[in-house]
Amino acid sequence: MQLTEHERGMLSGKYGQGVKQAMEILTAYGDCNNAGRMIPITSVHIAGNYPVLLDEGIEWLENIAAGGTKVKVLTTVNPEMYDFEQADALDVPTFYRERQKKIDDAFKSMGITLNYTCHHYLVGNVPRFGDHIAWASSGSQVFANSIIGARSNRDGDHVAIAAAITGVIPEWGLHITENRRGDVLVDLGKLDLKKYGNTEYKTLGWLFGRLLGAKNPVVANLPPDIDMENVKGIMYTMTVTGGAGLVHFVGITPEAPTVEAAFHGKSPRHPDIVITQKEVDKAFKEISSAKHDKLDLVIFGCPHCTIRDVQHIVDLLDGRKVHKDTRFWICTSRWVKTLSERMGLLEKLQASGGHMVCDTAPCAGPYWYLKKQGVQVMAINSAKANYYAHGLCGMETWFGSTEACVESAISGKWEGPR
Amino acid sequence: MKSEMDRREFIKASVMAGAVAAFGLFSPAAGFGKGGKEMMTIKAKPVTSGVAEGEALVSRMPISFTGGMDPSTGVIREPGHDLEGQSVAGKILVFPNGKGSTTGCWQYYAAYKRGVAPVGIINVMAEGVVVVGAIIAHTPMVQQMERNPLECIKTGDHVKIDADKGLVFVTPAS
């Protein structure tokens, strides 16, 4: 790689050991990916939850932070394992609190913004079209590429942290215009999308990942008035079953005003993929993993609930109480919680027996301590959270619509389709 | 993504039985290594730096370090994986490429600190998660060998990686 004088200085240790370590990671990573040079970035988002870092990861973080290492660009953090302000109420073990404090301290010393939300782009970390960024969170990385038109690869946390410390990243993959060209056309013309709700779009995302792997798909025939939450449903789910970084939603993605533009005026590299309802129905049946109907937990917020999501859930509850044996969690950012309180939604939720939980999320592993409290079977309206709760934490999971999840919380057993 | 496409094509090409034909220029230098068996010297592209040697553990399947490997024992625990139940600890781990969550680097690093990581890695085609894991754990690693490592290295062979010079020395076990 060609490095500038300043970059060579960073690599030599002139600006401290943390910067040196960061530059070593980036140059090796860049060389391996045949990057020619480094390019400046404007935004970073990282994960920092304990089940991922483990004790050794905390040591690594403390080591790179030592000596006053600071981030150079706005850097935000994904959710952690628990709500810091409700740790006692939720009976979070001291073990996890101690470790989280270490992670917090290291992040704080580096100047990282401790927002602990996966909706960081709704609370201030918003890149512009064409910006180069490093977001190590698969769903929001696809959002940045496909909806904002900012440019991020599927970087891991270490690369993203190194990028935050140096302010640069190797130029390869989706940072390069040519590589953002669509690979394959996905035709949804055979589906009756007028009947599709959020659950159906998430199921479609599950299927997309399976069928597309790491290709850049070009998705035609989405309804022009499709709700953004449904577009997000596709993106956040497809990264679970596949490795895509950019989806061209024709008419929505800034780089895809037309199918031709998405393909950069060239022919697709692969034959078109036509999706049938039969395949979508089959995919839906793959997602849930539960064997038992009795629910210990109904949880929302993957990605973190927006204020509209909160309003919708509270409206569906309509003053009814959730079952006494079923916990009811809405996971969101602290900002949305403040708004919910101001709008009277929090009071209504609590009157129904529900909790609003911040700083953590259904993908961040609260199950490690919830399981010890007897929580085993859960329901959620996110196929992504469903997969991770089952695969990483061994939970029994039901996947269905927000409506099905709310009704199930009231009866205390799964009421949705299976 | 162009590089991703190239990578997949490369892996596909290399994993095919006729890999030697695909690398028509291959001509390993012969010599005698440990135990008097004929040793092969094969060029490779360095990913990290340093020198490592040990017994080879060869997989024909991609590996995910998140979920796929126990970071306390180094044992591969992915159901149906061709290394399921075997430990990567102290081995020269030879496999096509990484897969799965980008958080795999943290799991790999934990395995390294617990003394159960491989001592060296040879990938057919390197991918980000394994690369970053090898960088932060200072594991000597090479990729894109001039001869397909899945064809010319067998589990149990003695392998030395010189990631500074971009060379791999293979002494067959039998």
Side-chain angles (χ1 to χ4, degrees), chain A residues 135-194:
Chain A
W135 283 8
S137 168
S138 57
S140 61
Q141 182 248 347
V142 181
F143 181 90
N145 279 308
S146 313
I147 305 301
I148 302 175
R151 300 181 171 201
S152 177
N153 281 323
R154 226 168 83 85
D155 299 318
D157 290 317
H158 301 84
V159 171
I161 291 170
I165 291 170
T166 59
V168 296
I169 199 147
E171 185 184 42
W172 73 283
L174 292 175
H175 291 290
I176 298 170
T177 302
E178 189 201 330
N179 297 338
R180 298 176 68 82
R181 170 186 156 194
D183 292 319
V184 56
L185 184 77
V186 180
D187 185 351
L188 305 179
K190 285 202 168 168
L191 305 175
D192 188 2
L193 296 178
K194 280 197 280 311

Side-chain angles (χ1 to χ4, degrees), chain A residues 193-236:
Chain A
L193 296 178
K194 280 197 280 311
K195 291 188 182 147
Y196 268 42
N198 195 254
T199 308
E200 288 75 20
Y201 279 111
K202 282 170 179 164
T203 308
L204 199 54
W206 184 271
L207 188 58
F208 271 28
R210 278 278 156 75
L211 297 173
L212 297 162
K215 298 184 190 85
N216 298 337
V218 176
V219 182
N221 350 84
L222 277 180
D225 60 345
I226 186 171
D227 191 303
M228 188 46 67
E229 291 309 313
N230 292 338
V231 181
K232 278 164 69 180
I234 298 176
M235 291 187 289
Y236 278 73

Side-chain angles (χ1 to χ4, degrees), chain A residues 34-109:
Chain A
N34 297 316
R37 58 173 185 166
M38 300 286 181
I39 44 172
I41 51 157
T42 60
S43 162
V44 173
H45 183 71
I46 55 176
N49 60 326
Y50 175 70
V52 165
L53 267 72
L54 304 173
D55 288 351
E56 293 78 5
I58 295 176
E59 270 176 48
W60 183 87
L61 196 62
E62 287 174 339
N63 182 262
I64 202 162
T69 311
K70 298 280 182 202
V71 295
K72 285 212 174 75
V73 298
L74 176 61
T75 304
T76 49
V77 196
N78 247 5
E80 240 295 331
M81 288 181 82
Y82 66 95
D83 185 321
F84 307 138
E85 291 179 11
Q86 298 186 72
D88 290 335
L90 300 173
D91 200 15
V92 178
T94 318
F95 176 86
Y96 293 126
R97 298 193 207 188
E98 285 172 358
R99 275 146 186 84
Q100 185 54 42
K101 183 167 186 314
K102 287 185 177 187
I103 298 173
D104 273 2
D105 287 347
F107 282 164
K108 252 191 292 192
S109 78

